[in-house]
Amino acid sequence: MSDTGSDAQISPSALIKNIVEDLFSYNTIKRRRILEYYFFENASLSSPVMSTDGVLNIQYVYTVWQAMNRTEPTINNIVFDGHTAVIHLTQHISPCIFPSFISLQVPAITTLHFKETDPDSGLLKIYSQEDSWTLEGLLQSVPLISFWYDHVLRLIMGKLVTTTGDLLDAALQQAEKMTQRGQDIQRIGRDMAIENMEKLDVYKSDLHENYLKGIRNWRESCTSDDQQQQQLLRDQLLYQT
């Protein structure tokens, strides 16, 4: 981490906290110090509505933002993993041209990306700042819109989604039943086909046996008739003699 003076004597987490607090502070001297010592000269700043490059341009953006709002943002949480700092904060949107009671509280997230100034130097500086706001946060920051969003839109969408889910669930259950019935019909048809094939095999076997039995009976009948005729012939010959 790049350091100056007493910054070298404090822990990294405390240093990050000081950097973030001074960066979002409305004290222009503190903010300019952070931009000069802890930002790369060609650092970039991006948000949902704009983007710019260069420390000087970033300083101008902060100056305009401060002029538009009476109160500096509230820092809620800071998470730093060694190369990226994620800051959860609340922006107090209250342009100076409006009465002081007009103020919108907009949740925002700022991400600061660090990298080493030189390879293996161990000194980190910010090369990119990304500001983001959630749609939900923007909607809930406006009183009338937030009421409509919480009590009308979200309820209607909840009803719509649950009703759609109920219809889809019923359709899926019916499809599962139809699939099961189809499988049952297919299984019954297969079982019937197997049973009929077995019966056909038995019928073929019986038919073959009956055929062979008929042939044997026919042969036996023919043999018996021949024997009777031969016996008659012998009897006639004996009678004639």
Side-chain angles (χ1 to χ4, degrees):
M1 183 71 66
S2 177
D3 56 78
T4 59
S6 61
D7 288 347
Q9 307 300 323
I10 62 178
S11 65
S13 59
L15 179 58
I16 289 294
K17 183 175 182 293
N18 290 341
I19 291 175
V20 172
E21 289 177 348
D22 290 350
L23 179 63
F24 290 101
S25 170
Y26 277 9
N27 185 318
T28 56
I29 296 176
K30 291 182 178 180
R31 185 170 63 238
R32 185 179 298 109
R33 171 180 172 272
I34 296 300
L35 292 172
E36 289 177 355
Y37 287 100
Y38 294 100
F39 275 69
F40 281 96
E41 187 66 28
N42 60 346
S44 64
L45 168 65
S46 62
S47 73
V49 295
M50 56 144 292
S51 64
T52 188
D53 296 318
V55 169
L56 190 59
N57 289 331
I58 295 175
Q59 180 177 329
Y60 293 155
V61 171
Y62 274 101
T63 301
V64 172
W65 185 260
Q66 180 175 346
M68 292 177 58
N69 301 282
R70 293 184 177 88
T71 307
E72 62 187 43
T74 301
I75 299 171
N76 302 316
N77 188 37
I78 302 173
V79 178
F80 181 62
D81 65 359
H83 289 86
T84 303
V86 179
I87 304 103
H88 294 262
L89 61 155
T90 302
Q91 296 284 3
H92 306 284
I93 310 299
S94 179
C96 298
I97 60 175
F98 293 152
S100 59
F101 64 85
I102 298 178
S103 178
L104 303 180
Q105 315 302 316
V106 180
I109 298 176
T110 293
T111 305
L112 302 177
H113 299 279
F114 293 79
K115 68 178 180 180
E116 291 184 328
T117 56
D118 295 301
D120 301 325
S121 66
L123 301 178
L124 301 178
K125 280 190 175 184
I126 299 167
Y127 69 90
S128 175
Q129 174 180 338
E130 299 175 358
D131 296 336
S132 61
W133 312 308
T134 63
L135 177 60
E136 181 181 5
L138 293 174
L139 291 174
Q140 291 183 340
S141 66
V142 183
L144 293 178
I145 295 179
S146 65
F147 179 84
W148 177 81
Y149 175 71
D150 288 332
H151 297 85
V152 179
L153 179 61
R154 295 176 72 174
L155 292 178
I156 292 176
M157 290 302 297
K159 293 287 187 182
L160 179 62
V161 172
T162 54
T163 301
T164 303
D166 184 33
L167 293 175
L168 288 175
D169 185 65
L172 290 174
Q173 290 183 3
Q174 187 63 27
E176 290 177 356
K177 290 180 180 179
M178 293 179 65
T179 301
Q180 185 62 41
R181 288 178 182 175
Q183 292 176 349
D184 292 341
I185 293 173
Q186 185 178 9
R187 178 179 54 79
I188 293 172
R190 183 174 61 252
D191 293 342
M192 291 179 63
I194 293 173
E195 183 180 358
N196 290 334
M197 290 180 65
E198 291 176 350
K199 290 181 178 180
L200 182 60
D201 291 338
V202 172
Y203 174 76
K204 287 181 179 179
S205 177
D206 293 342
L207 182 63
H208 183 66
E209 290 180 1
N210 291 333
Y211 172 75
L212 295 177
K213 185 177 181 180
I215 294 296
R216 286 196 299 270
N217 291 337
W218 177 77
R219 287 180 178 176
E220 291 175 357
S221 176
C222 291
T223 302
S224 177
D225 291 342
D226 290 342
Q227 290 177 351
Q228 290 178 359
Q229 289 179 0
Q230 291 177 1
Q231 184 64 35
L232 288 174
L233 289 174
R234 284 196 295 270
D235 292 342
Q236 288 178 359
L237 290 173
L238 290 173
Y239 178 76
Q240 291 177 359
T241 56

